[in-house]
Structures are given as structure tokens and as C-alpha cells.
Amino acid sequence: MSRPAQRIISIEGTDPRVLFGRHSVFLSLIEARLGVTLTARGDEVVAVGPPEKLDAVARLFIDLLSHLEKTGELSERYLNYAVTVVEDGSDGPSAQLEAVGVPGARQKITAKTLGQKNYLETIENYDITICVGPAGTGKTYLAVAMAVAELKAKLVSRIILARPAVEAGESLGFLPGDIRAKVDPYLRPVYDALYDMMPMDKMHRLMDNGTIEIVPLAFMRGRTLNSAFVILDEAQNSTVGQMKMFLTRLGERSKAVVTGDLTQIDLAHPTTSGLTLACQILKGIKGIGMVYLTENDVVRHKLVGAIIRAYERYEGRDDSARRNHDLQSPNAAPTHEDDEE
């Protein structure tokens, strides 16, 4: 084991109350995660520990100071994520996330993790994006944000959001009301994302005139979608036939995003999931980008990531199992060395 060493880190110009957290909770978190001892002395932090750990601490504080300069705040979620990144020997995520954002929404929406950054860049650069990841990684939210941004920029003329209604077996006729009332319970997460992107009255106006359309997946059959941004949410609950039907709806000047979580398949026979097959047979096709997010990209409550890891351990879905499912690295840019021409 390396002999303990010391590193002095300047935090001049930074409010230590924000950087350290209430009752220095952030310093304690860093100590626990990186196995070092931190002592605050005026405008400096003295770090003591193994030399290789001190290198990570130095990279971490550079990142945290940059993050604070840009945002003015520091959350436990961001701190945990930054520690995870520097532990792998990389620079912190702040500088890499700096230029990423989604214009046009009511509030500034940016990638919070490198996986999300890759996701947004893939949507921008590919006509079809397939994103697989656990709950809380922003799959639906960021797809809707990009759709709204492209609509406002007049890159598309409408947004179409589809979701399988698995619980009702795609047979919604017994529910009261018109089609919107019938499918509302299944599409609520999509509505929630839209509410954050634009005023409610404008959203309802765009829905009324057909600019924004929210439909169950079964109602997509037979359509050709031109100049549209099309999102298929909860795609793990689509059948093989439904997935093929959805992807072949794409028309001229259109873009499609497919999102899903392969650990939450509600089909009677999970092996028939259209998303599972699509991930296997569409990889490498020119124009299709695939993104795989992990628990490190979870942006909900900090416990969500821990819950996901616990279930993965219980169900035997460890890293080697992911590799056996031929899933690529979540933070790597999409590669298409074997693209079909």
C-alpha cells in the first residue's frame, strides 16, 4: 500500500458553505468514497491519503469548482456522479457537459451525466436513436425536450408520442371517453415531460390542432410520418411486430427515438420484446444510433440508483451479463465501423 501523502488544494473565491455542504456533509462524502482525509483551512483544503487517491481528489475539486462557477450550486447527486467519473481516472464531467443543452424549453435543460450527453448528441446526429436504460435516467424527458426544440426550430412540423398500452392488452375500447381519455393513464409520463417544456395552454392548443399527437402504439399502423419527430416510449413492452411496424412508419424529414428498460418488460413472454430484438439486429446500420444508460446516469432520488443495483444483483444482471447481451459502453459515442451502405 502506498504511503500517505499530502495535497493542498486552493478553493479561493468559492463559498465553502456551498462547496462543503451543510455541516461539511460533502467533505465527509468525498472522504468516504475516495478513502482520504480532508481538512478545511481558510481558502485551502488539505487532503491526506494514498498518492493515486490524491490525484483523483485534485481532479474532483477542479471539477466541483468549475461546476459551482457555472451553476452556483452543488447537489449530492452531482457530487456522487463526479466522484464516480474521477475514480475511473477521467477528468470530472463539468467541462464535458458545458456545451450540451436543449434550447427552446421553458427552463434550461442540459445533460447531467456523460451518458445523457451522448444520448442528446446521438439524437441530434442520427435519424433513429434507440436508448436503453433503467428508470430515472431521463430517457423520455430528454427525448421530449429534443422534440420540442426541433419543433420550435421548425426542423419538424409535428411531434408524435407513442406508448404500448400493455396493461389493457392494446384493447382500450372498454374505457370511457374519447381516444385521449382512454390512453391518458398510459401516457402520463409523456404529458409530465411536455408540461415542463411549454405552457399548459400552448401544449393543449398544439394537441388540439394535431401538431402534438399522443397515441397508443397500436394506432400507428398504416401511417406514414413525414416531417415528424416520433418517440416510442416504454418500447420494451412492444412486440417484435409492433417494433417493426413503428420503425417502418418513418417518412421524409423525420426523426425517431425509441426508449425502454429491458429490466421492466411486462409482456406475457418477455423474450418476444421488440426492443430486445431491435437492439440485436439493428446495431451497425447506418443512420441508427444506440445508447445504453446505466445506474450512473440516474437523475432521480439518490436511492433510485441503489435500488437498481440491488435488483441487478438479485436478478444476476451484472456487468458480464450486460456484455453477453451485446450492450456497448453507455458513455461511448455511437460507433458504426460496420455500417451497412
Side-chain angles (χ1 to χ4, degrees):
M1 180 179 292
S2 303
R3 294 181 60 185
Q6 177 177 293
R7 185 79 61 91
I8 297 177
I9 301 167
S10 174
I11 59 169
E12 186 176 359
T14 302
D15 187 344
R17 295 171 298 180
V18 180
L19 179 61
F20 301 159
R22 189 175 183 183
H23 304 307
S24 297
V25 64
F26 292 162
L27 287 185
S28 298
L29 188 154
I30 296 170
E31 289 178 327
R33 289 285 305 273
L34 294 179
V36 297
T37 300
L38 302 177
T39 305
R41 295 179 182 171
D43 289 338
E44 295 177 339
V45 173
V46 180
V48 178
E52 63 275 12
K53 295 293 186 180
L54 295 184
D55 290 341
V57 170
R59 293 195 303 273
L60 176 64
F61 272 93
I62 290 172
D63 181 83
L64 297 181
L65 294 176
S66 172
H67 180 75
L68 278 172
E69 184 179 355
K70 290 186 294 185
T71 67
E73 61 182 12
L74 180 62
S75 67
E76 185 176 343
R77 186 211 61 79
Y78 180 84
L79 176 58
N80 270 306
Y81 179 66
V83 171
T84 299
V85 173
V86 300
E87 277 184 311
D88 291 336
S90 304
D91 292 332
S94 180
Q96 301 177 66
L97 298 176
E98 183 174 5
V100 178
V102 180
R106 286 196 300 168
Q107 57 186 10
K108 186 177 181 180
I109 299 170
T110 59
K112 293 181 171 61
T113 70
L114 298 180
Q116 287 190 347
K117 175 188 177 184
N118 177 40
Y119 182 33
L120 292 175
E121 290 176 342
T122 303
I123 293 175
E124 185 174 358
N125 295 321
Y126 291 84
D127 290 336
I128 296 176
T129 297
I130 298 176
C131 180
V132 175
T137 50
K139 303 184 299 295
T140 303
Y141 192 86
L142 292 176
V144 172
M146 288 293 284
V148 171
E150 294 213 359
L151 180 66
K152 290 186 175 182
K154 301 188 184 304
L155 297 175
V156 296
S157 60
R158 55 180 171 160
I159 298 172
I160 298 175
L161 306 139
R163 213 172 192 235
V166 169
E167 294 85 353
E170 293 287 3
S171 178
L172 304 173
F174 67 89
L175 292 173
D178 59 15
I179 183 59
R180 188 183 299 178
K182 293 175 187 293
V183 301
D184 266 359
Y186 306 101
L187 300 171
R188 181 52 51 187
V190 174
Y191 283 108
D192 291 341
L194 282 172
Y195 287 145
D196 278 353
M197 308 299 159
M198 62 182 68
M200 188 178 299
D201 58 340
K202 181 176 182 180
M203 188 197 81
H204 287 297
R205 187 167 64 252
L206 293 176
M207 291 178 67
D208 289 338
N209 65 25
T211 301
I212 296 178
E213 189 176 354
I214 304 178
V215 297
L217 178 58
F219 286 67
M220 297 286 287
R221 190 173 301 279
R223 304 180 62 179
T224 299
L225 306 175
N226 294 316
S227 188
F229 195 115
V230 194
I231 299 172
L232 174 57
D233 191 34
E234 298 289 347
Q236 75 276 3
N237 288 328
S238 66
T239 65
V240 171
Q242 287 174 334
M243 178 63 75
K244 180 181 177 182
M245 176 269 291
F246 173 83
L247 292 174
T248 54
R249 299 307 93 202
L250 208 61
E252 294 293 326
R253 305 177 309 283
S254 290
K255 183 169 289 192
V257 178
V258 176
T259 71
D261 179 357
L262 294 177
T263 70
Q264 296 193 37
I265 299 174
D266 298 319
L267 297 170
H269 302 286
T271 55
T272 63
S273 170
L275 181 59
T276 300
L277 183 63
C279 289
Q280 295 171 3
I281 69 174
L282 300 181
K283 184 178 180 181
I285 294 181
K286 188 174 183 179
I288 299 179
M290 294 194 181
V291 178
Y292 297 92
L293 303 177
T294 72
E295 63 271 9
N296 289 332
D297 299 299
V298 171
V299 293
R300 290 181 185 168
H301 193 285
K302 63 182 180 180
L303 286 176
V304 173
I307 291 169
I308 291 168
R309 288 190 293 273
Y311 272 94
E312 286 180 344
R313 287 193 298 269
Y314 176 76
E315 296 168 357
R317 293 185 175 93
D318 56 9
D319 289 339
S320 62
R322 287 196 191 93
R323 287 193 293 272
N324 290 337
H325 279 86
D326 201 23
L327 302 185
Q328 68 185 48
S329 170
N331 293 334
T335 57
H336 298 276
E337 297 174 352
D338 301 318
D339 281 355
E340 295 182 1
E341 297 299 333

